[in-house]
Amino acid sequence: MWFALAAVAVLVVVPAVVARRRLVVVQVSGVSMAPTFLPGDRVLVRRTSAVRRGQVIVFESTRPGGWGTGPPRPPWAIKRVTALPGDPVPDDVAGAAKAGPGERVPEGALVVVGDGTSSADSRVYGYLPADRVLGVVVRRLSAGPSSPAPPDEPVS
């Protein structure tokens, strides 16, 4: 009997531990991804560094003085990947990325842009170092407030 209980416990605990290491819930703050995601929305994120163009990702926000080192850590930002290494640098990002005409996104870098009209993204700070990515948004878990955030709310 105890063997059966131990087996059931393993079948429940092990997948839960694995899921916790692979998945994380993040709450959206700011309006940069509106209307796709609004402030207060909770999203499920699959931890990965493998991303594709068009995916929405969560990554470590830039800090005063530049990007962090070591594993990515909060505060988080959420944006859409618009260019991968080897892709042409989009014209609206070229200035911030200090890229000349016809240049390509370098290895280890991504171009990310918010879906909304107000977004601090690659058009402002240039390339996102790929090692700052927490993961890819899998789905919205719960919706935030139905009204958009006030215009003076910080953008993420």
Side-chain angles (χ1 to χ4, degrees):
M1 181 67 163
W2 67 268
F3 182 74
L5 289 174
V8 169
V10 167
L11 290 173
V12 170
V13 172
V14 170
V17 169
V18 170
R20 182 149 171 86
R21 289 190 177 164
R22 300 230 27 211
L23 301 171
V24 63
V25 176
V26 175
Q27 186 165 350
V28 175
S29 64
V31 296
S32 68
M33 285 299 292
T36 309
F37 298 107
L38 297 174
D41 286 355
R42 291 169 23 111
V43 294
L44 183 62
V45 177
R46 180 177 39 89
R47 292 178 193 259
T48 183
S49 57
V51 300
R52 294 189 312 262
R53 191 178 312 97
Q55 287 182 313
V56 176
I57 63 170
V58 172
F59 58 93
E60 178 181 306
S61 290
T62 185
R63 291 172 164 63
W67 298 99
T69 58
R73 62 186 199 276
W76 304 119
I78 180 170
K79 306 283 186 241
R80 188 173 304 279
V81 177
T82 58
L84 300 168
D87 288 349
V89 176
D91 291 340
D92 59 347
V93 173
K98 299 176 179 63
E103 282 192 40
R104 305 250 174 214
V105 176
E107 284 300 316
L110 302 169
V111 173
V112 294
V113 176
D115 287 357
T117 57
S118 175
S119 179
D121 52 34
S122 288
R123 295 172 287 197
V124 175
Y125 52 72
Y127 302 120
L128 166 68
D131 66 352
R132 301 293 85 207
V133 174
L134 174 67
V136 175
V137 173
V138 176
R139 65 178 303 221
R140 175 184 292 126
L141 294 176
S142 64
S146 58
S147 60
D152 61 345
E153 179 170 331
V155 174
S156 64

